[in-house]
Amino acid sequence: QKEVEQDPGPLSVPEGAIVSLNCTYSNSAFQYFMWYRQYSRKGPELLMYTYSSGNKEDGRFTAQVDKSSKYISLFIRDSQPSDSATYLCAGGKPGGSYIPTFGRGTSLIVHP
Amino acid sequence: DVKVTQSSRYLVKRTGEKVFLECVQDMDHENMFWYRQDPGLGLRLIYFSYDVKMKEKGDIPEGYSVSREKKERFSLILESASTNQTSMYLCASSLQGGAETQYFGPGTRLLVL
């Protein structure tokens, strides 16, 4: 079992929909959680970073971490066609190897 | 903003050739990483480096080597390219002592014929 699991999709939604992207993880030592967005044929770019449990909001994006259930979510409000990309989640442990563990990514398609 | 650049966006090489992929970051990050990314397999760590002249093997180091002679530069070397090394190669960097937040370059798509 991979330490971070994501449904590869594709997830297809109409423009304006609320999108929910999810990951589960198995390593209880994870304290840091990241979401990356990767457009086709480009490198991943950091979208959201959270520490421990709770929510973090940035514009249309909200990251949510539930450590009790080992569940990570990214919500996108008022989704746009420009949000079409692959979204990678990642978890990291503090004070150690400084290497996050990535999920394989979920492909999101927002159609006009 | 952190900027990570990679020497080539696209490369086409022949089997058996020696291939150099170079990565440069401009934010004085201690940590640098090389990944390959393949459909359905996600990101796989090849090598990483915590400091100049230091290197550590990742999950799939076979067939690759690396060099870090300067803090800002991390090179990936394919000693004798093979067709199964056709992939997207991604370089990343991160700050030592902070969170494991990595910043990625644009990637190099390598095709080995």
Side-chain angles (χ1 to χ4, degrees):
Chain A
Q1 181 195 6
K2 268 187 73 71
E3 282 192 299
V4 179
E5 299 273 8
Q6 284 184 265
D7 187 322
L11 176 62
S12 183
V13 301
E15 183 175 355
I18 296 174
V19 175
S20 172
L21 300 167
N22 306 296
C23 288
T24 58
Y25 66 95
S26 58
N27 193 329
S28 300
F30 285 168
Q31 294 281 349
Y32 302 95
F33 302 93
M34 285 79 73
W35 282 97
Y36 287 82
R37 178 176 62 197
Q38 185 176 21
Y39 291 115
S40 181
R41 300 179 184 272
K42 300 283 178 66
E45 57 178 321
L46 181 66
L47 198 58
M48 299 283 282
Y49 161 80
T50 54
Y51 175 76
S52 196
S53 282
N55 291 3
K56 184 174 182 178
E57 189 173 318
D58 183 2
R60 297 185 295 111
F61 299 90
T62 300
Q64 191 173 80
V65 176
D66 182 349
K67 291 190 72 183
S68 63
S69 58
K70 297 190 179 67
Y71 204 76
I72 315 164
S73 299
L74 179 71
F75 299 97
I76 308 174
R77 291 183 297 281
D78 187 25
S79 57
Q80 303 295 311
S82 58
D83 295 326
S84 299
T86 296
Y87 290 81
L88 304 166
C89 64
K93 294 174 283 189
S97 64
Y98 306 108
I99 302 172
T101 300
F102 289 89
R104 294 180 184 180
T106 298
S107 174
L108 171 66
I109 300 168
V110 182
H111 51 88
Chain B
D1 277 352
V2 176
K3 190 155 185 191
V4 180
T5 57
Q6 295 183 228
S7 51
S8 305
R9 293 300 309 275
Y10 301 95
L11 270 181
V12 179
K13 296 292 181 180
R14 298 237 173 245
T15 302
E17 279 192 81
K18 193 168 186 176
V19 182
F20 292 88
L21 303 181
E22 194 163 76
C23 174
V24 178
Q25 50 93 5
D26 66 358
M27 284 302 291
D28 205 34
H29 284 177
E30 291 86 359
N31 305 325
M32 295 189 75
F33 308 82
W34 275 106
Y35 293 88
R36 63 177 284 177
Q37 187 179 36
D38 301 287
L41 297 178
L43 288 167
R44 292 184 289 168
L45 183 63
I46 304 171
Y47 267 97
F48 58 101
S49 169
Y50 290 141
D51 203 349
V52 176
K53 297 194 185 294
M54 290 183 64
K55 60 185 179 184
E56 298 283 346
K57 292 179 180 179
D59 300 319
I60 51 163
E62 296 78 19
Y64 304 93
S65 63
V66 289
S67 172
R68 192 158 179 208
E69 296 296 318
K70 293 185 177 182
K71 189 175 185 180
E72 67 272 16
R73 198 176 296 266
F74 193 34
S75 300
L76 180 70
I77 303 147
L78 287 65
E79 296 289 344
S80 177
S82 62
T83 54
N84 63 11
Q85 292 178 310
T86 290
S87 187
M88 170 74 136
Y89 289 88
L90 289 159
C91 175
S93 71
S94 70
L95 195 60
Q96 188 111 309
E100 286 87 347
T101 309
Q102 294 188 343
Y103 297 87
F104 285 86
T108 296
R109 296 191 72 86
L110 174 66
L111 173 63
V112 183
L113 299 173

